[in-house]
Amino acid sequence: MIDVIGTDIPAGEERLRLDVEDGLGILTLCRPRKLNAWSWESTRQLGLFTDRIRFDPAVRAVLLRAEGRAFCAGIDLTAPGGTITGRSGAERAHHYYEGMRWVHERFRAFAGLPQPVVAAVQGYCLGFGFELALMADVRIAADDAVFALPEAQLGVAVDAGGDLRVAREAGTGWAKFLALTGRRVDAATAERLRLLQQVVPTGELAGTAHALAAEIAANAPLAVQGIKRGIDAYADAGMSGALDRVAMNAAITLTSEDAREGFGARAAGRAASFEGK
């Protein structure tokens, strides 16, 4: 089973960084050489920073950003199983199920921050990266941004609720289209699907997103937080039950032979051959 008990972030193992300035909590994905690839440790650190932001009166809004040429290129394909183990297939699936529930709890806490979150997205925004961006309240992207939920191409289910959030924003048809095919879409298409609120030239992304977050932070905190809670209560009705089903689907598919084939094929640069087992 994974070790998620620690509360510190070892030097050199930072996946995210938090800076607080002028009413903004600037949360930065800071592993550009890895294209900010996501991991269990990334989720743990997100949970730690979420707890810090939630109770910090100096933070009135959050700017979610990333260093480098990609926002987040998804999970590290060289380690598909992570450290999830079990004495049997059933126990390993159970551990995956509990692991995904743990991930959902941290993501739910981040999405449920009282402070509004503005995401600034550039380059690749794939898999877990796309799902993280979808948890922001407002999303601004550079015109070079690329979005996808490629999990089905790897033999696994969309495991953090990104397909549900696409369904909420763009409708069930588009959620199925993107999640069932794994196709990539550009920023202009994502904006047309209402998954983005604004697309700007790459060189203007940082300034535009910062200015928007600062504009929100300048408004009355109680009003801003109440507005966010009210809209989320309406938009997320039924989300909790659906996420539990997502966790189970993820547990089953992540422990399947298809997943092993899918990740292996992607790492080897060949076409996968799935057998449904």
Side-chain angles (χ1 to χ4, degrees):
M1 192 57 179
I2 60 173
D3 177 14
V4 298
I5 302 302
T7 57
D8 61 324
I9 300 175
E13 293 300 318
E14 298 88 351
R15 269 60 169 179
L16 298 101
R17 182 180 68 249
L18 176 64
D19 301 288
V20 179
E21 56 182 50
D22 300 325
L24 293 183
I26 302 175
L27 189 59
T28 304
L29 280 66
C30 58
R31 263 193 143 192
R33 286 184 296 177
K34 287 282 191 178
L35 300 182
N36 298 309
W38 201 259
S39 64
W40 298 105
E41 178 60 18
S42 301
T43 299
R44 187 182 77 88
Q45 293 183 20
L46 179 68
L48 293 177
F49 285 126
T50 295
D51 288 343
R52 294 179 191 176
I53 291 167
R54 180 178 182 179
F55 296 105
D56 189 344
V59 177
R60 294 189 170 193
V62 177
L63 175 59
L64 175 65
R65 58 176 300 276
E67 293 178 347
R69 61 190 180 91
F71 179 76
C72 174
I75 64 171
D76 184 356
L77 295 180
T78 64
T83 54
I84 295 287
T85 59
R87 294 170 298 176
S88 67
E91 185 177 67
R92 186 165 176 251
H94 171 72
H95 286 168
Y96 257 119
Y97 174 62
E98 290 302 325
M100 290 313 306
R101 290 181 65 226
W102 172 82
V103 169
H104 290 172
E105 289 164 4
R106 272 111 198 113
F107 276 15
R108 187 182 299 114
F110 176 70
L113 277 171
Q115 301 95 331
V117 178
V118 175
V121 179
Q122 78 279 2
Y124 292 124
C125 186
L126 311 176
F128 258 103
F130 192 10
E131 296 185 272
L132 178 64
L134 286 166
M135 292 175 205
D137 300 290
V138 179
R139 292 169 292 278
I140 299 176
D143 53 14
D144 71 343
V146 179
F147 303 86
L149 295 171
E151 286 85 349
Q153 297 177 344
L154 301 170
V156 298
V158 180
D159 45 15
D163 47 355
L164 306 182
R165 296 180 186 277
V166 171
R168 183 188 67 185
E169 304 287 344
T172 58
W174 279 111
K176 292 173 183 176
F177 179 84
L178 294 177
L180 294 176
T181 66
R183 288 190 187 183
R184 297 182 178 186
V185 295
D186 59 19
T189 302
E191 183 181 33
R192 178 169 61 85
L193 297 181
R194 300 180 297 179
L195 300 174
L196 300 172
Q197 281 64 62
Q198 191 174 0
V199 176
V200 298
T202 302
E204 298 178 12
L205 176 64
T208 301
H210 189 282
L212 176 60
E215 182 180 350
I216 294 171
N219 289 331
L222 295 179
V224 164
Q225 294 177 19
I227 289 167
K228 173 175 175 174
R229 282 195 302 270
I231 294 173
D232 284 348
Y234 166 75
D236 289 339
M239 183 68 77
S240 294
L243 281 173
D244 188 72
R245 180 167 295 184
V246 165
M248 181 57 70
N249 290 340
I252 292 170
T253 57
L254 283 164
T255 55
S256 69
E257 292 186 23
D258 276 353
R260 185 179 304 169
E261 164 65 12
F263 280 105
R266 181 64 61 90
R270 61 176 174 82
S273 178
F274 297 120
E275 298 184 23
K277 61 180 182 178

